[in-house]
Amino acid sequence: MKAEAKKKNFEEVQTKVVLAPAQLLWTTEANGSVLLRMDESCPQEAITVHQMFLTSVQKYGHLSALASKKKDKWEKITFSEYYHLCRVAAKGFLKLGLERFHSVAILGFNSAEWFISAVGTVFAGGIMTGIYATNSPEACHYVANDSRANIIVVENQKQLDKILQIKENLPHLKAIVQYSGALLNKLPDLYSWEEFMALGLDVPDKELDDIISSQRANQCCVLIYTSGTTGMPKGVMLSQDNITWTAHHASRAGDMQPAEIKQEVLVSYLPLSHIAAQIYDLWTGIQWGELVYFAQPDALKGSLINTLREVRPTSHMGVPRVWEKMMEKIKEGISQCGYIKRKLVTWAMSVSLEANLRCNSFLFALADGLVLEKLRAELGFTCCSKFFSGAAPIGSETLQFFLGLNIQLYEAYGMSETSGPHFMSNPKVHKLTSCGKVVPGCKFKLANVDKDGIGEVCFWGRDIFMGFLNMEDKTKEALDEDGWLHSGDLGKSDEEGFLYITGRIKELIITAGGENVPPLPIEDAVKKQVPIISNAMLIGDKRKFLSMLLTLKCTTSTETMEPTDDLSSEAVEYCKQLGSQATKVSDITGEKDKAVYQAIQEGIDRVNSRAISNAQRIQKWTILGRDFSISGGELGPTMKLPMKPLNCFLGLVFGICFGVLLKCPPSFNFQLSVRWQQRLIQNVPVHFSIHPAFNIRKSASTSC
Ligand SMILES: Nc1ncnc2c1ncn2[C@@H]1O[C@H](COP(=O)(O)OP(=O)(O)OP(=O)(O)O)[C@@H](O)[C@H]1O
């Protein structure tokens, strides 16, 4: 349909529901409004977050909604209490001076207060903005300043200290609220949670209700800042309709059940500033009356498993790195079992994998009942029937490992710009290595399809964002004339409509000989062939040949989550099988361990033997001294490899200006490119060219 005709069609539909006047499908202004993509294939009424919550309270008011652990006991609140607390928080924000379409930024680990602040902000007519708890003060400043935060809600003293360092340079900031731990110093405009909630009590209901009833579904209520793996964080503006439509329809595509059928139980632990956790834990939780338990702040340092065992969720989501870490821990556990138990588990897992891959159920019931059921119970998955993976590509080794436990990981695929999942898998719709089918009501197409059927994945639907806040050029880059969102991801679909992501366009390596090489399948194949490898990164843009950077599987410090020099028990076992005594990464690197180097070379040779052309063969490789990590700056908050960490030149200029402004060194949390250079230069003979559009894969060339 031509753009003009399509626009007319939208306008006709939109006169039927009360929406704010809009001319375009996009805006870059916080107080702007957009045409909604309502048409015959997606006619559902557009509602606000408040309307969605009110409907839930009517249906699920008496059901438990949120559970927080206080002094070793789970304390629960019902949906009615939750709604009431959100109203009190909204009034508190109004009392503190929250202006329309300004933000409340929330900085801290998942908690009931996080949820109540988020919903309270939306009720009060503000824009809710999460900040990654791992952000540096400078990165917090970027988000709070860009979103014009009037109020910042922090978890504890640690997060408060960051805000106190930057507060003087936040012209819109009026107050800070701390929701956990005692206030150590009494500062003006700093409130404890209790003080803050008390503030709202004398704001009349009518004041809040007037604001609520003036809200429109095509206006912005949430800002998601991209984590910066593709450049400077961008503020993705999501409308009330984006949130309510996606919470309803994408979650049903994932087979999430309404509480009137079965109340879903989940554990909230992934960063809520990322769209994946926010839509899954917070908004879908309200939509379907789910019971959300909050994990402990040290969840990813190891306590998550205890929470899972206690809570026994019915549905669980992880980013690939979380599933990988879980896999490594299980493997470690298995390797420490006695001979007979180890053999039994290995046998049961191979039976389950076979049964799941080939629908061959001979012996499966026995293996599952005798061994695997107990293993799943150890993980807290006794009641869990849905396991999701999303936000980044997951390797086939991990998918197959969990199939061995009779756990099918359902992939979800989307972006912040699609309010989360645009493609979903579920117990009835799934295929190994596919990220599922398009959510009903949404559309997709592949652009510039090549001879292998691979093209750029483009999205259309009610989940498509409003625009990037104050970034018109970037918004126009992302949305084409007809309103299709271009993902920058490469994929292909099969005859049944399952989508397979094969790589990212900007990640595509173009060798000096002009051959296009998608790195993902090669990296995945190396990890599969050489089980001691933790991360593999292919390099070769504009180079005569491909090289690869490798890291080894090692343990992580439970305190800092930093990778240590100790090999994981799986890696030690692998070495033993090769006749090597290595127990540390440093026992191997620098070609100290000939046996391991030879085994890696043989694995790479096997991958090379399957390459479709000579240009796709890995000619050189080296092992780095330390695994990738979030703290090291090589992984983003969703634990994926940064593809294009930062426009290096702009990053440096910005970092220096910022340093001068704040009287602090020009360091930036998301200035990964510079750290990358330092790290890699320290460890291997790698030469980087500083290029304005810096990209690790594209700018690095190894001389090994
Ligand atoms: N299931 C999946 N399989 C493969 N890739 C995925 C999957 N889910 C998400 N991705 C990748 O993540 C991208 C979306 O990232 P997202 O919008 O969550 O931003 P982010 O992680 O904050 O970081 P940034 O935008 O800076 O990369 C997709 O374009 C795609 O490349």
Side-chain angles (χ1 to χ4, degrees):
M1 203 191 292
K2 282 269 159 287
E4 263 311 298
K6 205 179 249 173
K7 188 178 158 212
K8 194 159 174 289
N9 188 332
F10 298 141
E11 279 166 351
E12 273 163 19
V13 180
Q14 287 172 54
T15 50
K16 293 181 194 149
V17 285
V18 185
L19 295 173
Q23 303 303 318
L24 297 171
L25 288 169
W26 59 271
T27 179
T28 57
E29 284 162 24
N31 62 357
S33 41
V34 292
L35 288 171
L36 297 184
R37 294 156 198 255
M38 296 165 87
D39 56 23
E40 0 8 280
S41 63
C42 199
Q44 296 88 5
E45 195 190 341
I47 58 169
T48 62
V49 165
H50 184 266
Q51 286 171 307
M52 173 175 83
F53 206 150
L54 212 53
T55 310
S56 290
V57 173
Q58 281 153 11
K59 287 196 284 185
Y60 315 124
H62 61 289
L63 293 182
S64 294
L66 308 179
S68 317
K69 202 158 197 188
K70 304 262 163 73
K71 294 195 187 122
D72 279 344
K73 277 193 130 166
W74 287 105
E75 283 182 11
K76 294 180 185 165
I77 58 168
T78 64
F79 273 92
S80 295
E81 289 163 336
Y82 180 15
Y83 173 77
H84 171 73
L85 290 170
C86 293
R87 284 186 64 97
V88 176
K91 290 180 186 177
F93 288 136
L94 292 175
K95 186 79 181 258
L96 290 175
L98 175 62
E99 295 158 76
R100 198 76 188 259
F101 300 114
H102 282 240
S103 84
V104 172
I106 313 172
L107 171 63
F109 186 73
N110 312 22
S111 68
E113 292 84 356
W114 209 111
F115 277 30
I116 292 164
S117 302
V119 181
T121 304
V122 177
F123 283 6
I127 299 181
M128 181 248 121
T129 306
I131 304 184
Y132 287 106
T134 47
N135 272 11
S136 66
E138 297 83 359
C140 293
H141 178 271
Y142 180 84
V143 174
N145 192 43
D146 195 56
S147 63
R148 299 183 303 169
N150 286 149
I151 296 139
I152 302 184
V153 178
V154 296
E155 179 187 354
N156 51 21
Q157 184 69 36
K158 182 177 164 200
Q159 301 298 356
L160 175 66
D161 286 343
K162 292 186 198 169
I163 302 305
L164 293 180
Q165 286 180 52
I166 56 170
K167 134 179 196 293
E168 297 314 318
N169 294 303
L170 292 172
H172 299 277
L173 187 65
K174 299 179 183 178
I176 306 171
V177 177
Q178 184 179 320
Y179 64 79
S180 178
L183 293 190
L184 294 185
N185 15 33
K186 188 69 204 132
L187 300 167
D189 306 320
L190 171 65
Y191 299 84
S192 69
W193 184 255
E194 293 70 27
E195 287 166 344
F196 159 66
M197 291 299 267
L199 284 178
L201 295 178
D202 45 276
V203 174
D205 271 333
K206 182 167 183 327
E207 190 179 329
L208 177 61
D209 287 334
D210 286 348
I211 292 173
I212 289 174
S213 50
S214 71
Q215 293 176 15
R216 298 289 173 259
N218 57 342
Q219 293 172 328
C220 181
C221 67
V222 169
L223 268 173
I224 298 284
Y225 279 84
T226 57
S227 60
T229 57
T230 52
M232 291 293 280
K234 299 184 284 271
V236 175
M237 294 164 60
L238 299 180
S239 68
Q240 306 240 9
D241 183 58
N242 285 149
I243 295 294
T244 55
W245 192 91
T246 309
H248 186 128
H249 297 278
S251 63
R252 286 297 291 140
D255 203 36
M256 296 302 277
Q257 298 297 316
E260 52 267 42
I261 297 175
K262 177 188 131 193
Q263 189 178 27
E264 298 278 7
V265 175
L266 41 114
V267 174
S268 177
Y269 71 102
L270 289 171
L272 291 165
S273 38
H274 193 274
I275 189 60
Q278 197 181 116
I279 203 80
Y280 177 80
D281 300 1
L282 170 59
W283 303 118
T284 303
I286 295 174
Q287 166 65 42
W288 295 125
E290 293 164 357
L291 170 54
V292 179
Y293 285 79
F294 293 101
Q296 302 303 301
D298 58 355
L300 290 175
K301 292 184 183 168
S303 74
L304 177 63
I305 189 88
N306 301 332
T307 312
L308 291 172
R309 281 185 198 139
E310 273 179 62
V311 169
R312 298 193 294 163
T314 60
S315 170
H316 188 68
M317 182 184 63
V319 294
R321 197 65 188 151
V322 166
W323 291 115
E324 278 169 26
K325 284 278 158 200
M326 200 179 264
M327 169 175 81
E328 283 163 21
K329 281 271 170 227
I330 301 168
K331 281 186 179 169
E332 208 166 311
I334 297 172
S335 73
Q336 283 159 10
C337 290
Y339 180 78
I340 295 184
K341 205 167 171 187
R342 206 166 60 231
K343 284 282 164 207
L344 197 62
V345 173
T346 315
W347 165 78
M349 288 183 71
S350 64
V351 169
S352 170
L353 178 63
E354 177 71 15
N356 275 295
L357 286 180
R358 283 173 262 285
C359 296
N360 173 356
S361 63
F362 181 64
L363 288 179
F364 172 66
L366 183 68
D368 198 58
L370 201 66
V371 185
L372 304 176
E373 218 173 78
K374 293 192 186 74
L375 260 173
R376 290 195 300 274
E378 281 292 302
L379 302 171
F381 290 149
T382 318
C383 306
C384 199
S385 59
K386 292 175 287 268
F387 305 86
F388 296 105
S389 173
I394 189 161
S396 53
E397 184 200 347
T398 317
L399 292 171
Q400 293 197 6
F401 176 85
F402 280 98
L403 278 186
L405 297 177
N406 197 21
I407 290 176
Q408 175 87 45
L409 296 183
Y410 302 124
E411 273 204 75
Y413 160 67
M415 313 170 74
S416 311
E417 293 88 329
T418 60
S419 317
H422 196 89
F423 285 80
M424 282 298 301
S425 314
N426 69 44
K428 291 191 202 94
V429 178
H430 64 87
K431 268 192 191 177
L432 199 70
T433 73
S434 157
C435 48
K437 288 189 182 182
V438 71
V439 167
C442 295
K443 295 175 198 162
F444 82 102
K445 67 175 185 185
L446 298 175
N448 304 321
V449 178
D450 70 8
K451 62 180 183 350
D452 301 316
I454 296 174
E456 183 183 12
V457 186
C458 300
F459 306 113
W460 175 273
R462 293 274 285 278
D463 57 343
I464 303 302
F465 76 137
M466 301 174 75
F468 295 118
L469 180 66
N470 302 327
M471 290 185 177
E472 188 168 329
D473 288 357
K474 294 274 176 209
T475 305
K476 285 183 175 164
E477 247 173 55
L479 295 172
D480 69 20
E481 273 204 334
D482 287 331
W484 285 88
L485 170 68
H486 287 244
S487 66
D489 294 320
L490 290 167
K492 61 179 176 186
S493 66
D494 66 15
E495 59 295 340
E496 290 175 80
F498 281 94
L499 184 79
Y500 301 80
I501 297 297
T502 55
R504 298 178 97 177
I505 290 176
K506 288 175 204 158
E507 208 179 36
L508 209 63
I509 290 170
I510 306 169
T511 63
E515 180 139 359
N516 287 359
V517 184
L520 218 68
I522 301 179
E523 290 166 354
D524 197 28
V526 168
K527 287 202 274 180
K528 223 167 149 186
Q529 285 296 329
V530 193
I532 195 174
I533 301 301
S534 172
N535 279 293
M537 181 180 249
L538 198 66
I539 286 163
D541 204 56
K542 301 192 192 82
R543 305 289 151 196
K544 287 196 198 111
F545 57 83
L546 297 181
S547 333
M548 187 170 258
L549 300 176
L550 302 170
T551 66
L552 302 180
K553 285 181 181 162
C554 61
T555 60
T556 37
S557 150
T558 45
E559 271 309 295
T560 60
M561 291 298 283
E562 302 253 345
T564 71
D565 190 37
D566 293 326
L567 290 170
S568 69
S569 57
E570 186 198 352
V572 172
E573 188 56 34
Y574 177 83
C575 292
K576 266 193 204 143
Q577 283 169 15
L578 299 173
S580 154
Q581 300 302 310
T583 57
K584 295 192 177 300
V585 175
S586 54
D587 291 341
I588 298 174
T589 49
E591 299 198 38
K592 288 199 273 303
D593 196 313
K594 301 282 176 227
V596 174
Y597 268 74
Q598 192 186 329
I600 296 176
Q601 186 59 58
E602 284 166 7
I604 286 180
D605 289 345
R606 285 193 292 278
V607 173
N608 281 343
S609 69
R610 283 174 221 149
I612 53 168
S613 72
N614 202 27
Q616 303 232 2
R617 296 200 173 100
I618 306 158
Q619 307 280 1
K620 302 210 170 180
W621 53 271
T622 191
I623 308 174
L624 304 182
R626 209 179 104 117
D627 197 5
F628 300 162
S629 65
I630 297 180
S631 54
E634 302 90 351
L635 300 177
T638 44
M639 303 192 208
K640 64 185 169 197
L641 279 175
M643 184 258 302
K644 185 181 172 189
L646 187 68
N647 176 321
C648 192
F649 176 69
L650 278 183
L652 276 172
V653 171
F654 191 51
I656 290 165
C657 296
F658 208 95
V660 172
L661 204 68
L662 298 181
K663 300 190 182 60
C664 61
S667 67
F668 230 62
N669 198 29
F670 38 80
Q671 198 176 324
L672 302 173
S673 52
V674 178
R675 297 230 223 138
W676 255 97
Q677 291 180 72
Q678 289 165 350
R679 165 92 6 95
L680 297 178
I681 287 165
Q682 275 162 21
N683 288 290
V684 285
V686 175
H687 304 305
F688 282 84
S689 51
I690 295 189
H691 187 274
F694 191 87
N695 177 325
I696 296 174
R697 292 184 205 282
K698 298 214 165 219
S699 311
S701 75
T702 63
S703 65
C704 54

